[in-house]
Amino acid sequence: MRNVRFKVLIMGHGEMGHAMQHLLGNRHDFEVWERAPRPDGRPVAPETLAADRDVVLFCVPTPPHFDLVSRLLPALSRRTLCLSIAKGLDEHGRTPADVFSQVLGTKIPHGVLYGPMIAEEIRAGKPAFAQLAVNGGDGMRKAVALFHGTGLHIEAASDPMGIAWSAALKNVYAILFGVADELRLGDNMRGHLAVGALAEISAIVTHFGGLAATPYRLAGLGDLITTATSAGSHHHELGRLLVRGQRDAIHGEGIHTLDILRQGVAISFEAYPLLGLIDACVRDPDNIHAKVQNYLDALDQLTWTKVDQTGADASQNRNG
């Protein structure tokens, strides 16, 4: 299967859609679907393009996934592999992995692909890396064959829920790195944020049924480093814009994910101090420096609380 030429449908033609088209180049035969009508004004029904495709690659944001996958389902064959690279949640708190599982189930092979994959670097011919989790059929072999020799290096994973949540959350936490850099808090702060963010992401991933170790691989740690430090990162720039008070420009997958989490997806922000800090900065960007300082003061207080508790426990053990 390594050198097979596939019929591919790319859903969406934004930055990543263009990057995937460039990546696959002349290796495969592909069609591209865009929501916008053709130049002649006629809309194109995606289900008409999906028939007889070996792979459908979703390069659209997460919110329209459910509608699009539901529309495509009758046109898909059991050999069609559906892959998504979207990083985020829809209005019901579902990741693309959730949507695929709910709509496609065991009928159609499906998977998610996440990692350090900056679109500009892909188009420039630079290497990219991703974790791939596939459910059903010969999907893993087909997906690896699809990207073989393209410069996108695949790591097989067995935790689609975990990598989907890792990818969604890293966009949220990357905002805080931009905040810290705009405040000129230094490299030491960046190191603290990296450790704290990964710990919180791991806890949230576990809460939603993923594996605790998953965020420490490409979809989490790898992509967090990329998104949190890249000069061209949209979510890193959002943090800078928050500090500057440029509220009209604050939008993106990470902001949407934060909104959905705030609206009632079953986690408490109080249990995740960095997530709570990001939320406070996004909801009320005034005096962000004071908010960060309050976070650091609370961190010191927590340390003293743990020290006092440790001392009390040791004293009780001696007396016991």
Side-chain angles (χ1 to χ4, degrees):
M1 185 178 284
R2 180 173 296 184
N3 297 313
V4 173
R5 192 175 183 90
F6 294 122
K7 296 179 181 178
V8 181
L9 172 61
I10 297 176
M11 299 289 291
H13 211 215
E15 285 194 8
M16 284 306 298
H18 279 92
M20 289 296 109
Q21 182 178 352
H22 175 85
L23 192 70
L24 299 176
N26 296 320
R27 298 171 182 272
H28 304 286
D29 303 315
F30 54 83
E31 291 271 4
V32 177
W33 175 82
E34 295 183 80
R35 189 177 296 274
R38 288 179 172 174
D40 61 9
R42 292 185 303 162
V44 180
E47 52 268 36
T48 63
L49 300 178
D52 199 36
R53 291 285 140 181
D54 299 301
V55 180
V56 179
L57 186 56
F58 287 78
C59 300
V60 294
T62 304
H65 267 57
F66 186 86
D67 175 62
L68 289 174
V69 176
S70 299
R71 289 180 63 181
L72 293 186
L73 179 58
L76 301 176
S77 74
R78 295 188 65 86
R79 65 177 177 79
T80 304
L81 171 64
C82 291
L83 287 178
S84 177
I85 61 172
K87 303 170 181 177
L89 306 177
D90 69 8
E91 301 301 330
H92 300 281
R94 296 174 297 203
T95 67
D98 292 319
V99 172
F100 281 163
S101 179
Q102 184 175 342
V103 179
L104 301 179
T106 59
K107 298 186 287 291
I108 306 294
H110 53 84
V112 286
L113 185 73
Y114 302 123
M117 297 188 296
I118 295 177
E120 294 85 351
E121 293 193 1
I122 290 175
R123 291 198 297 268
K126 297 180 180 180
F129 306 86
Q131 280 183 287
L132 169 70
V134 175
N135 180 14
D138 201 24
M140 180 64 75
R141 288 179 59 83
K142 180 176 286 187
V144 171
L146 176 70
F147 294 108
H148 177 71
T150 64
L152 176 60
H153 303 276
I154 302 295
E155 175 185 294
S158 58
D159 183 17
M161 189 67 66
I163 67 172
W165 272 101
S166 296
L169 290 167
K170 66 87 188 176
N171 278 335
V172 178
Y173 284 88
I175 296 169
L176 197 51
F177 287 77
V179 167
D181 286 346
E182 185 67 18
L183 292 174
R184 300 188 179 185
L185 298 180
D187 293 340
N188 296 331
M189 185 66 175
R190 190 180 296 120
H192 165 76
L193 292 178
V195 172
L198 262 295
E200 291 191 11
I201 292 173
S202 180
I204 296 171
V205 164
T206 304
H207 176 85
F208 286 109
L211 302 177
T214 295
Y216 294 88
R217 302 298 302 174
L218 288 171
L221 175 58
D223 207 2
L224 178 65
I225 290 174
T226 301
T227 307
T229 62
S230 171
S233 164
H234 174 69
H235 288 88
H236 181 274
E237 182 63 16
L238 287 182
R240 291 187 177 275
L241 294 175
L242 282 170
V243 176
R244 297 172 194 161
Q246 297 175 241
R247 303 186 185 197
D248 293 342
I250 306 304
H251 57 81
E253 288 178 325
I255 298 297
H256 179 75
T257 296
L258 187 63
D259 287 342
I260 298 302
L261 290 172
R262 188 190 304 122
Q263 291 170 18
V265 175
I267 64 170
S268 168
F269 280 26
E270 293 181 359
Y272 308 100
L274 288 177
L275 184 63
L277 176 58
I278 299 165
D279 184 54
C281 292
V282 170
R283 284 190 295 106
D284 181 17
D286 292 335
N287 205 0
I288 287 180
H289 194 286
K291 292 179 173 63
V292 174
Q293 187 58 53
N294 289 339
Y295 161 79
L296 295 173
D297 291 343
L299 200 64
D300 290 342
Q301 183 58 45
L302 178 61
T303 300
W304 276 114
T305 300
K306 290 182 178 179
V307 169
D308 290 341
Q309 183 61 49
T310 301
D313 292 343
S315 177
Q316 185 177 8
N317 289 337
R318 287 195 299 272
N319 294 334

